Amino acid sequence: MNPTPSTPAASSNRAVAARDWEHRAGELGDRLPTGFEVAVATSAFQIEGAARDGGRGDSAWDAFSQVSGRIRDGSNASVSADHVKNYAADTDLLRDLGVDSYAFSFAWTRLQPDGRGALNRNGLAFYDRLLDALQADGIRSTATLSHFDLPAALRGGWLNRDTAGRFADYAHAVAEAFGDRIDAWVTIADPASLTMKGYALGTHAPGRALLFDALPTAHHQLLGHGLAVQALRAADVRGRIGLVNSHTPVQSSTDRDQDRSYAALYDLLTNRLFADPVLLGHYPDPLEPFAVELRTLLEADPDDLRTIHQPLDFYGVSYTEPARVAAGPTVLKAPDGQPIPTTSWPFHLEPFREHPTTSAGAVNAPEYVAVALAELAERYPDLPPVYLSLAGGAFADKADARHNVNDTARVDYLAEHLLAALDAAAPIDLAGIAFWSLLDAFEWDSGYTQPTGLVHVDFANDRRTRTPKLSYRWLQHALANR
């Protein structure tokens, strides 16, 4: 964590204007190391659709998105990109793109509608077809067991310790079904976001606003991860095993003690709380001013920590943006200037006015990738191979009459962040990258207002017509020139 404001030196490889994208793509292809794995990613809830098909159950996000005001455009993911019906077209896109691997997630509710019991044969049949198509095209698979879509039938969600055991049972069942065909397994994707947004602030499913009382969900997710690793190994899967944690470079807004203290707290809540138990076998020491609020860390069962601290074949790092922290709660105001009641931590995030943002408001500062990777190397000297996931590439795409999208801003964003990662990879074994995402999709509480895909999806068309964007052609050209 950077305790005081600072700006990393900009990479010498910052991309130039995207109008020469073919030349830049060729240069990028030359930069990719031998054996470096390039993937594109999606998640089941965001793209699959078919919400009522084949016995699929409801997830926490199905319930959350039905509540008025929760989703920016009032939409839901019941159809979305309709990947279940269009998976063959999507695997064709992957093949033509030339990626090494496809990072997707199993929908827990499609395979186990109530979060327990035998796997649903219709769900099994769909993923059989998807994996067969990937294997036929020579595309490796990275499968995530849980990407936010907890079955709604599991009462209490991740607040309930029993959910960790249910997750392990599910992991073992899926491993027995597909363990001979998955190249890499991710137990849980980005547990920090689920705890912070879903249980602490309530802006994501399941919509709880518990602040520090949400911390048990962090422990239960991590326990579920450890139990799932054990279950996968008990099933003798052939693929590598890891998880994906988000990592956010954090700095304080000023040198004042209060700002620095809250910056350290934010770093603990979003980074170290989730990485330390997995990589070091213990929780970080609670910060003295917040010992009461962080009592959950002190009460952790040592047996649980041994379960969480499983040897990993790889460690996934999800990177979006840095954070600048200041004391004082978040204050939202209505157009008339009146404050809007909102749940807030005793700190808030200040903007990085020196950097542009994406259309979703994420800080577009690729040089901070180096800060995140350097912090990881310093804190965790025995890191396994690292795979970087680049999220945050939301931009206001404009499609022409033929659905073509010249998304030069996304090309710049992805190229600059990847080059910054390659330049900074010396302290760690950076083994690959996953670009988010293959398709335009339901982007959680933003609905369909913040597209991130390399491929445009026409959501007004029942066929959900797909059209590759400029960013797709850019990555395709780079991969062809490796």
Side-chain angles (χ1 to χ4, degrees), residues 67-78:
V67 178
S68 178
R70 292 295 200 181
I71 309 302
R72 183 179 303 179
D73 57 1
S75 64
N76 60 63
S78 61

Side-chain angles (χ1 to χ4, degrees), residues 197-258:
K197 296 179 180 179
Y199 288 91
L201 296 176
T203 57
H204 279 193
R208 304 295 299 274
L210 304 174
L211 295 179
F212 289 104
D213 288 337
L215 291 184
T217 69
H219 183 72
H220 296 157
Q221 286 185 87
L222 294 175
L223 179 60
H225 153 74
L227 292 170
V229 173
Q230 293 177 335
L232 292 170
R233 294 209 164 105
D236 199 25
V237 298
R238 71 173 181 85
R240 297 165 291 130
I241 301 171
L243 88 165
V244 174
N245 270 332
S246 58
H247 282 269
T248 302
V250 179
Q251 59 181 227
S252 62
S253 62
T254 73
D255 280 330
R256 292 182 303 177
D257 288 344
Q258 196 173 27

Side-chain angles (χ1 to χ4, degrees), residues 83 85-96 438 466:
H83 172 67
K85 296 178 182 177
N86 292 288
Y87 77 92
D90 294 336
T91 54
D92 286 347
L93 286 165
L94 291 165
R95 179 199 62 216
D96 294 344
L438 174 65
R466 280 103 159 106

Side-chain angles (χ1 to χ4, degrees), residues 120-136:
N120 174 23
R121 63 182 183 181
N122 291 313
L124 287 168
F126 166 66
Y127 292 113
D128 266 327
R129 294 192 295 272
L130 175 62
L131 290 170
D132 284 347
L134 293 173
Q135 287 192 316

Side-chain angles (χ1 to χ4, degrees), residues 15-29 411-412 415 474:
V16 294
R19 60 180 177 273
D20 57 341
W21 67 270
E22 288 183 330
H23 175 70
R24 286 174 48 209
E27 289 184 334
L28 178 60
V411 171
D412 281 342
W474 160 79

